[in-house]
Amino acid sequence: AAGVVIRCWRALSGGARVRDHERRTLVACSAGADSSALALCLASATANLVIAHVLHDLRPADEARADLETARALAASLALPFAGASVGCRSKPGNPEAVARRERYAALVALAREHACPFIATAHHADDQLETLLMRLVRGAGPRGLSGIAPTRRLASGVTLLRPMLDITRAEAEAICRDAGVEWAVDATNADRSRLRAALRHNVIPALRAIAPGIASTAGRVASVQRSLARELDRAADELLELASMSAGAPPQAETRADPSLGPSHRPDRGESGVVRLSRRVLAEAAGPVLDVALRGALGRVGGGGDAASSRTLARLAGAIRGRSGERRVFQFAGALVELDADWVTIGGCSP
């Protein structure tokens, strides 16, 4: 399992054309078994690492501080530099877990730049991938959602996120720690079955694993296929928006001024990002999944939520686009108004 992690880290950080000492990596370490195993694996391949821990305020202060010290001690035992950061999440609006994730990644990017690390490695593994797919299946996700946790993505200019543990399981990560004599911290919130991820982990996945022991590896292959499908859908949706925009006599990006066709009562206000005008006929001829992705993309261009847009309202809009009525209709999304008439679909961003 350790060999799998090291090979994946090398493949994701440049492959054979890059030497290990050139892959300077910030290892995000919560002090749990997963991230401790990641640190152990990569430390056996290179000393050009920085162990990083981000402290946030969503857990009791004494528990959070204990995890920080456990991560610091692990870094010291591996003779590696340690970097820490603190972020405040409790007072910020929005879903607490989403806020914590956003703030944590921002802090990691700052630490990576401070320590000249072009790569940040996190310890997401095969069981995390399975849990993520099940969560998104429960919520009715499409190919993009079911593409799961990507092995790599660009976080910021000059900083790339790597996930080299997606091919090993939580049990294998714990075995790595045990074999190395490393004790890990346990986050009590992971046992809270009122949270969807924890409920799936404790109530559903054991039953699935009893039926199909290799279910976590299967989930990884499913996610890979869905990522390929999502890329093809994105390409087709971009082409559709280009054609629909050209047919409407407008560029595919949002215009910088309000479209007067929206009328005075729906004229974009100061919160608007722009207007996109599309040919209804071109959109109506598109396949359903391509139209869905294209509309989400157009909404995203004017600040209308994109992937977070209401699926129910989006389905009503798609049905109206394909319908025969030429009656003017307006659809409201968070941050966007969509006007539909006989010939055009006009999408204007506005304050939610």
Side-chain angles (χ1 to χ4, degrees):
V4 168
V5 174
I6 294 167
R7 287 193 294 274
C8 288
W9 167 69
R10 287 172 174 151
L12 295 173
S13 58
R17 69 179 184 276
V18 179
R19 296 180 180 274
D20 282 354
H21 71 270
E22 299 171 321
R23 309 175 198 270
R24 185 167 174 81
T25 301
L26 187 86
V27 181
C29 183
S30 68
D34 310 335
S35 56
S36 297
L38 175 61
L40 290 167
C41 292
L42 298 190
S44 71
T46 182
N48 201 11
L49 303 172
V50 177
I51 306 300
H53 182 90
V54 178
L55 191 70
H56 59 72
D57 57 0
L58 293 185
R59 296 176 59 207
D62 56 341
E63 293 181 12
R65 180 62 60 178
D67 288 353
L68 169 67
E69 295 307 324
T70 300
R72 192 195 305 274
L74 177 62
S77 72
L78 296 172
L80 293 172
F82 178 80
S86 297
V87 296
C89 305
R90 192 180 298 276
S91 62
K92 292 183 170 63
N95 177 275
E97 291 184 19
V99 170
R101 182 167 53 251
R102 183 186 68 237
E103 296 296 322
R104 183 167 59 249
Y105 276 122
L108 289 171
V109 167
L111 290 173
R113 287 174 168 162
E114 178 183 344
H115 293 273
C117 295
F119 302 108
I120 297 173
T122 63
H124 296 91
H125 48 66
D127 290 273
D128 290 324
Q129 184 74 280
L130 175 58
E131 291 166 8
T132 298
L133 290 191
L134 289 174
M135 289 172 67
R136 294 179 181 177
L137 183 64
V138 167
R139 292 167 178 162
R144 184 177 294 174
L146 294 177
S147 63
I149 304 170
T152 182
R153 69 182 177 93
R154 181 178 176 273
L155 280 181
S157 177
V159 181
T160 301
L161 176 66
L162 312 178
R163 295 176 173 124
M165 290 180 62
L166 287 175
D167 288 335
I168 75 167
T169 64
R170 179 179 290 109
E172 288 172 316
E174 292 176 353
I176 289 170
C177 290
R178 282 195 296 270
D179 289 348
V182 170
E183 294 186 7
W184 61 86
V186 177
D187 184 350
T189 61
N190 289 333
D192 179 5
R193 301 191 189 191
S194 66
R195 299 164 64 237
L196 178 57
R197 184 178 290 273
L200 291 169
R201 179 180 301 174
H202 296 289
N203 299 338
V204 177
I205 291 177
L208 289 175
R209 189 166 271 127
I211 299 169
I215 187 68
S217 296
T218 301
R221 292 193 295 272
V222 169
S224 179
V225 171
Q226 293 298 313
R227 274 193 297 277
S228 296
L229 288 174
R231 283 193 294 270
E232 289 302 308
L233 275 175
D234 286 342
R235 180 189 57 78
D238 286 343
E239 292 177 355
L240 175 63
L241 286 177
E242 181 76 22
L243 180 58
S245 297
M246 292 174 63
S247 298
Q253 67 272 16
E255 299 170 7
T256 56
R257 57 187 177 83
D259 186 341
S261 67
L262 285 174
S265 62
H266 295 96
R267 192 176 302 280
D269 63 16
R270 296 178 185 176
E272 178 158 3
S273 302
V275 171
V276 172
R277 197 178 193 201
L278 304 167
S279 164
R280 177 176 175 178
R281 176 187 59 79
V282 171
L283 293 179
E285 294 173 353
V290 177
L291 178 58
D292 180 271
V293 175
L295 291 173
R296 290 183 184 279
L299 287 166
R301 290 175 184 180
V302 300
D307 289 341
S310 164
S311 296
R312 181 174 299 178
T313 308
L314 202 67
R316 288 175 46 233
L317 172 59
I321 289 172
R322 290 198 172 88
R324 297 182 179 180
S325 172
E327 178 186 1
R328 177 183 177 276
R329 297 181 63 182
V330 174
F331 296 81
Q332 175 75 60
F333 292 86
L337 284 173
V338 181
E339 181 188 19
L340 175 68
D341 60 28
D343 299 307
W344 312 114
V345 178
T346 308
I347 304 175
C350 62
S351 297

